[in-house]
Amino acid sequence: MLENSSPDAPAPELDASVDPYRRFAEWFAEAEKSEPNDPNAMALASVGPDGMPSLRMVLMKGYDRSGFVFYTNLESRKGTELAAHPKAALLFHWKSLRRQVRVQGTVAPVSDAEADEYFASRARGSQIGAWASTQSRPLAGRFELERRVAEYGVKFGLGKVPRPPHWSGFRIAPQTIEFWADRAFRLHERIVYRPASDGSWATERLFP
């Protein structure tokens, strides 16, 4: 572990030479041990057709050097917004560690193979739910949703539930990654990484 994660102990300055994906992997591993619920939860901001920002919590389902991945109904509000305006911002906030990571980048759909593989790993109830929910559209009442769940449960019986054509994933490829660490007297530490033309990362420290 590169940095002291204890909020009560003096913490050394973040090393700007550390690769951002390596730092994220280390911080995320610590969050998996310390966060009581959903360490992979992230706020996702998109832009609506009226130019207004739109924000919600989603779950990261994978990450590597190509970006951060989550899955959704493509016909949902976030799905249509990201398809129309393929740029997004992410925020991971790990309260137990007093850390956060901000990401801004471009958005692209995952491959069908990736979406199929992840969908197959979901619980059967979640698979049925992906068919039953016309996400983000008006709902008359809970009974309407439960009726649709029952209908698709009968439709697929005990067989394999295929991935709906309207359900897939997006990958956010970072154009900036900012690491934020809590420090005493609100003199927090912030380092921003931006891809350089030679494939490396340019770094910049920011005032808190």
Side-chain angles (χ1 to χ4, degrees):
M1 186 170 67
L2 293 177
E3 294 110 18
N4 190 334
S5 61
S6 171
D8 300 317
E13 184 176 73
L14 294 178
D15 184 353
S17 69
V18 175
D19 177 87
Y21 288 110
R22 177 184 170 190
R23 171 166 285 127
F24 181 85
E26 292 179 349
W27 281 22
F28 183 62
E30 291 181 55
E32 289 184 303
K33 298 175 183 177
S34 65
E35 287 295 295
N37 293 298
D38 299 327
N40 59 330
M42 58 185 185
L44 167 70
S46 55
V47 179
D50 57 358
M52 290 293 290
S54 179
L55 184 67
R56 78 287 288 161
M57 299 299 296
V58 298
L59 296 178
M60 178 187 70
K61 292 300 182 180
Y63 72 93
D64 57 24
R65 290 185 175 274
S66 63
F68 300 84
V69 173
F70 75 96
Y71 293 88
T72 188
N73 184 317
L74 300 179
E75 298 173 352
S76 66
R77 179 175 177 180
K78 57 183 172 296
T80 57
E81 288 178 349
L82 292 173
H85 190 81
K87 294 182 179 180
L90 306 175
L91 171 64
F92 297 87
H93 177 223
W94 297 309
K95 189 173 183 178
S96 64
L97 297 175
R98 301 184 184 182
R99 292 172 174 168
Q100 62 183 21
V101 179
R102 299 171 63 192
V103 178
Q104 290 179 306
T106 56
V107 179
V110 302
S111 68
D112 287 343
E114 288 177 280
D116 288 341
E117 180 179 6
Y118 176 68
F119 188 80
S121 74
R122 303 183 88 203
R124 186 178 183 83
S126 296
Q127 293 176 336
I128 295 292
W131 281 94
S133 175
T134 56
Q135 194 176 103
S136 299
R137 297 170 189 172
L139 176 66
R142 188 73 186 179
F143 177 76
E144 181 184 2
L145 176 60
E146 293 174 349
R147 175 181 58 78
R148 289 178 60 85
V149 169
E151 288 176 354
Y152 280 102
V154 170
K155 177 179 179 178
F156 294 116
L158 298 177
K160 179 181 178 181
V161 180
R163 177 173 63 88
H166 57 264
W167 192 97
S168 189
F170 290 102
R171 175 176 285 104
I172 293 87
Q175 292 183 333
T176 66
I177 306 177
E178 179 184 327
F179 293 86
W180 179 100
D182 178 88
R183 295 292 185 258
F185 308 112
R186 305 194 67 79
L187 301 177
H188 311 309
E189 191 164 7
R190 299 171 63 187
I191 295 181
V192 178
Y193 291 78
R194 297 182 178 88
S197 58
D198 62 358
S200 64
W201 291 89
T203 62
E204 183 178 34
R205 294 185 183 274
L206 302 178
F207 276 94

